[in-house]
């Protein structure tokens, strides 16, 4: 049986599109049952509808700072669709500790840095200001603390001396679109075990690949 997944978005939904594409495969262990946005003008809603995915809008402005009220409405929609797993795809609203604890081990997020480095806002700018030579993306479980949950999967890219935040973001986005569907496949297929704050995965292999940057001629 495929696990029923909700994707939460606030904008264009590029990672959402990658997840929907992956889930269209017959052997993928999850199905995208609904896309939920806290903004009616989110561009990703039309992309989801074009793929035949149900969409729901829960306008967050109406709730103001009442996060618990918003989450009660959200939970009702999740229950209505029989949701088992949640993927956040650029969802720009913070959750209460109660909500994240209720969905612990069942809610994924993706962040464009190699956590625990550069959490929060402007991760690409943070990376460039720090002068790192490698950056990337991280899929992690959601906990009350921002970008601090157990790490499920990471992908790395080199950082060039002439990179701008926009250039680095575009390079990392390609990695995001690869690792997010793979991480959901692992979770939905039962390939992840939480050992305290550490994710252990079954069926993973050592490909022997190494990314070294800058590379010397």
């Amino acid at each position: 049986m495929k696990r029923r997944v909700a994707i939460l978005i606030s904008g264009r939904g590029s990672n959402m599109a990658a997840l929907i594409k992956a889930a269209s495969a017959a052997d993928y262990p999850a199905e995208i049952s609904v896309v939920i946005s806290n903004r009616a003008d989110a561009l990703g809603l039309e992309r989801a509808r074009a793929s035949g995915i149900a969409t729901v809008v829960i306008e967050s402005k109406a709730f103001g700072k009442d996060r618990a009220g918003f989450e009660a409405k959200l939970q009702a929609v999740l229950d209505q669709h029989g949701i088992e797993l949640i993927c956040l795809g650029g969802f720009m609203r913070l959750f209460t500790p109660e909500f994240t604890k209720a969905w612990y081990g069942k809610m994924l997020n993706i962040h464009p840095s190699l956590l625990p480095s550069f959490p929060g806002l402007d991760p690409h700018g943070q990376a460039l200001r720090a002068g790192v030579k490698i950056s990337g993306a991280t899929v992690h479980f959601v906990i009350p603390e921002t970008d601090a949950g157990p790490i499920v999967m990471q992908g790395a890219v080199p950082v060039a001396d002439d990179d701008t935040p926009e250039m680095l973001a575009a390079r990392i986005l390609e990695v995001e679109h690869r690792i997010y569907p793979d991480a959901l496949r692992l979770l939905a297929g039962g390939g992840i075990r939480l050992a305290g704050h550490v994710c252990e995965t079954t069926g993973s292999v050592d490909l022997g690949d190494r990314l070294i940057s800058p590379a010397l001629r």
Side-chain angles (χ1 to χ4, degrees):
M1 292 290 291
K2 294 194 174 192
R3 307 291 297 277
R4 295 178 63 82
V5 178
I7 303 177
L8 275 55
I9 65 171
S10 295
R12 59 179 178 160
S14 85
N15 274 305
M16 173 207 73
L19 291 168
I20 290 174
K21 180 179 179 180
S24 67
D27 64 345
Y28 199 80
E31 61 175 326
I32 310 305
S33 301
V34 64
V35 170
I36 304 170
S37 176
N38 66 321
R39 294 181 51 177
D41 61 351
L43 297 178
L45 289 170
E46 187 54 42
R47 300 176 75 172
R49 295 183 191 117
S51 298
I53 308 295
T55 62
V56 176
V57 175
I58 308 173
E59 283 279 10
S60 56
K61 285 185 179 180
F63 293 90
K65 296 182 179 180
D66 181 12
R67 288 192 287 165
F70 174 85
E71 291 165 2
K73 177 65 174 178
L74 173 60
Q75 185 62 57
V77 174
L78 297 172
D79 291 342
Q80 176 186 350
H81 289 269
I83 297 304
E84 301 169 86
L85 303 172
I86 297 173
C87 288
L88 305 183
F91 187 67
M92 304 303 290
R93 187 173 176 91
L94 296 176
F95 292 115
T96 64
E98 291 74 20
F99 187 84
T100 58
K101 290 174 182 176
W103 283 92
Y104 180 66
K106 297 177 288 185
M107 180 160 54
L108 296 174
N109 185 39
I110 190 161
H111 182 75
S113 79
L114 294 176
L115 294 173
S117 297
F118 315 129
L121 299 176
D122 190 27
H124 308 105
Q126 290 186 63
L128 293 176
R129 288 190 293 272
V132 299
K133 304 306 180 185
I134 294 173
S135 189
T138 302
V139 181
H140 63 93
F141 284 116
V142 178
I143 64 172
E145 293 75 26
T146 301
D147 299 328
I151 292 171
V152 176
M153 187 175 289
Q154 293 182 304
V157 302
V159 179
D161 290 341
D162 61 350
D163 267 341
T164 64
E166 294 75 20
M167 293 165 62
L168 181 58
R171 194 177 306 120
I172 290 176
L173 190 61
E174 295 180 9
V175 173
E176 293 181 46
H177 292 170
R178 176 178 175 182
I179 67 172
Y180 212 173
D182 285 350
L184 178 57
R185 178 188 288 274
L186 268 178
L187 178 60
I192 295 175
R193 185 177 76 88
L194 279 168
H197 198 69
V198 175
C199 286
E200 297 177 349
T201 58
T202 61
S204 60
V205 295
D206 181 4
L207 299 178
D209 291 340
R210 301 293 183 267
L211 173 59
I212 298 173
S213 178
L216 302 182
R217 295 186 183 275

